[in-house]
Amino acid sequence: MTPRIIKLFPAIFLILYLLVVFKPFLINGLLPIPADTIVGMYHPWRDNYLDQYPNGIPFKNSLITDAVRQQYPWRQVAIEQLKNWQMPTWNPYSFSGYPLLANFQSAPFYPLNFIYWLTSFPLGWSLQVIFQILLGGIFMWLFLKNLKLRDEAIALGVISWVGSGFFVSWLETNVVVQSVIWLPLVLFSIDRRKGWLLTLSLISGFFAGHLQIFGYVLLTSIFYIFYRRYWKGFLYPLITFVLTFFWWLPAAKFILLSARNVDQVVWQKPDWFLPWQNLSQLIAPDFFGNPATGNYFGIWNYGEFIGYIGIVGLLFSLVSLLGKIKQARFFVGIFVISALFALPTIISSVPFVLNIPFISSSQPSRL
């Protein structure tokens, strides 16, 4: 195989993956959103089909309904208000009214929202979902290229990243993966000492709409700044903090007023941390079945525990520890720290025993 073809491996793998995953959208015009759950699970829509489907309309996966119940309508209301030159502060459609700007997952200021001014909202939403794979792959390619890896290794890294269980499980919410795709660009910026790009990446990840995942991105970036001894780099998270003040302040107030910590959070329940047996999903993602095929028999829920990056990706990540890549030691450290706080250990229980605001209401299994 010629060197020119090998250099194209990352692009070829990424394009093929996009074509396969989004074939229903690209060929059949089906939107990448679980809209089947609207008529399959919720009244009054399911009532319209009781004659034909007395047991309800079949739907694919009940675990991914957040997109149609929350992120999609919230974003649409926010974009409509912005288009009408209104600050999206209030959602009049939930309860007797509900904060919208302070609701992080409405993501009204996310830079990729520009697409909604160029096309219809359903099409713009679909393109944003696809951008997660496309940009996530490009940013990871930049970071791995910067490490001077072979093109075959870069291709494997890119596909292990955008094809991971985490990406697949959270893709349709359009906020969780949007928040994490900026991490490779953050690491690339730190390596290259590009402060403006680091600030832009952090701001984009913050505005993407998932505070918990962005928190992990921010912590990783701070650790990486320290590891790479880029002392000036500590200035840029602070700049990000200042520039996003107008949004995180009302969001912080909203979080402190939330009843989530007493209404939904029971950190002693078996699904709060990553169950030890679910480490098997690093090797076999459907070891306990899959909710989309209706045969899942493990602890609820599948989407919180899936850390699969492929057998080949896992194997070579272990082999890389024997190599000369300096950053390998950094990621081993990140993995160990993440595991300590994701698994049910004495260390991981500390934030919840102390009832630390926000942290104590965030499910650590996503680490």
Side-chain angles (χ1 to χ4, degrees):
M1 193 171 294
T2 64
R4 185 183 295 272
I5 295 296
I6 293 176
K7 286 185 177 297
L8 292 175
F9 268 7
I12 292 172
F13 273 73
L14 184 59
I15 291 171
L16 287 176
Y17 183 70
L18 282 168
L19 292 175
V20 171
V21 171
F22 294 106
K23 177 186 174 184
F25 170 72
L26 298 171
I27 304 299
N28 303 321
L30 299 178
L31 305 184
I33 186 171
D36 58 330
T37 59
I38 297 176
V39 293
M41 295 179 62
Y42 300 110
H43 304 285
W45 299 279
R46 61 179 296 177
D47 298 331
N48 295 331
Y49 301 94
L50 283 178
D51 292 340
Q52 303 98 308
Y53 300 93
N55 295 321
I57 293 179
F59 54 89
K60 193 67 175 177
N61 189 345
S62 62
L63 287 184
I64 55 176
T65 57
D66 282 1
V68 295
R69 295 185 305 160
Q70 299 176 12
Q71 290 91 14
Y72 186 99
W74 289 340
R75 184 81 60 93
Q76 186 173 25
V77 172
I79 295 300
E80 287 177 352
Q81 291 187 16
L82 284 171
K83 285 185 173 181
N84 290 324
W85 299 98
Q86 301 174 7
M87 184 62 75
T89 57
W90 194 250
N91 177 4
Y93 303 108
S94 291
F95 307 109
S96 297
Y98 193 78
L100 184 62
L101 181 66
N103 175 359
F104 229 86
Q105 295 188 44
S106 64
F109 306 118
Y110 186 43
L112 294 186
N113 284 351
F114 77 89
I115 194 69
Y116 296 118
W117 272 261
L118 304 178
T119 185
S120 65
F121 188 86
L123 179 58
W125 176 274
S126 303
L127 292 175
Q128 260 193 344
V129 170
I130 296 175
F131 284 167
Q132 294 173 111
I133 299 294
L134 182 62
L135 291 179
I138 292 173
F139 295 159
M140 181 58 79
W141 175 83
L142 282 172
F143 176 59
L144 298 180
K145 190 74 173 177
N146 181 64
L147 299 184
K148 296 180 172 57
L149 303 183
R150 292 172 56 175
D151 292 295
E152 299 94 327
I154 294 174
L156 179 59
V158 168
I159 204 68
S160 296
W161 172 243
V162 299
S164 65
F166 183 86
F167 265 67
V168 172
S169 296
W170 295 100
L171 197 67
E172 291 187 348
T173 66
N174 222 1
V175 291
V176 175
V177 177
Q178 292 284 4
S179 297
V180 84
I181 61 173
W182 300 93
L183 177 57
L185 192 60
V186 166
L187 302 178
F188 171 81
S189 306
I190 294 170
D191 278 344
R192 290 296 186 91
R193 305 296 198 262
K194 294 183 180 295
W196 67 270
L197 186 58
L198 175 56
T199 304
L200 178 62
S201 303
L202 288 174
I203 289 176
S204 297
F206 177 79
F207 282 147
H210 203 278
L211 185 57
Q212 180 184 359
I213 299 303
F214 172 74
Y216 298 151
V217 171
L218 180 62
L219 284 174
T220 305
S221 67
I222 291 173
F223 290 151
Y224 197 62
I225 289 171
F226 182 82
Y227 179 78
R228 298 290 287 158
R229 299 184 180 182
Y230 178 33
W231 310 123
K232 183 181 176 182
F234 287 109
L235 175 65
Y236 301 107
L238 181 60
I239 293 174
T240 300
F241 181 79
V242 172
L243 293 179
T244 57
F245 178 83
F246 72 95
W247 196 34
W248 65 254
L249 182 60
K253 290 182 178 179
F254 193 29
I255 290 170
L256 292 174
L257 291 172
S258 171
R260 177 180 172 86
N261 62 334
V262 294
D263 181 47
Q264 297 186 32
V265 176
V266 181
W267 64 270
Q268 294 92 345
K269 61 183 181 179
D271 70 308
W272 190 246
F273 298 100
L274 173 65
W276 288 98
Q277 65 268 26
N278 285 74
L279 289 174
S280 60
Q281 289 184 283
L282 290 172
I283 300 172
D286 289 349
F287 185 87
F288 299 101
N290 191 296
T293 53
N295 65 347
Y296 184 71
F297 65 93
I299 294 175
W300 189 87
N301 84 49
Y302 177 95
E304 299 288 354
F305 307 143
I306 183 70
Y308 185 70
I309 61 169
I311 295 295
V312 178
L314 182 63
L315 174 63
F316 277 98
S317 67
L318 296 175
V319 170
S320 71
L321 301 181
L322 305 174
K324 299 179 180 179
I325 304 172
K326 295 179 182 179
Q327 284 82 348
R329 289 176 291 179
F330 170 80
F331 287 109
V332 169
I334 289 293
F335 178 82
V336 171
I337 293 172
S338 299
L340 283 174
F341 284 94
L343 292 163
T345 65
I346 295 177
I347 294 176
S348 64
S349 65
V350 171
F352 305 96
V353 172
L354 297 178
N355 196 28
I356 299 174
F358 179 68
I359 295 177
S360 61
S361 60
S362 300
Q363 191 157 350
S365 59
R366 296 171 187 171
L367 274 165

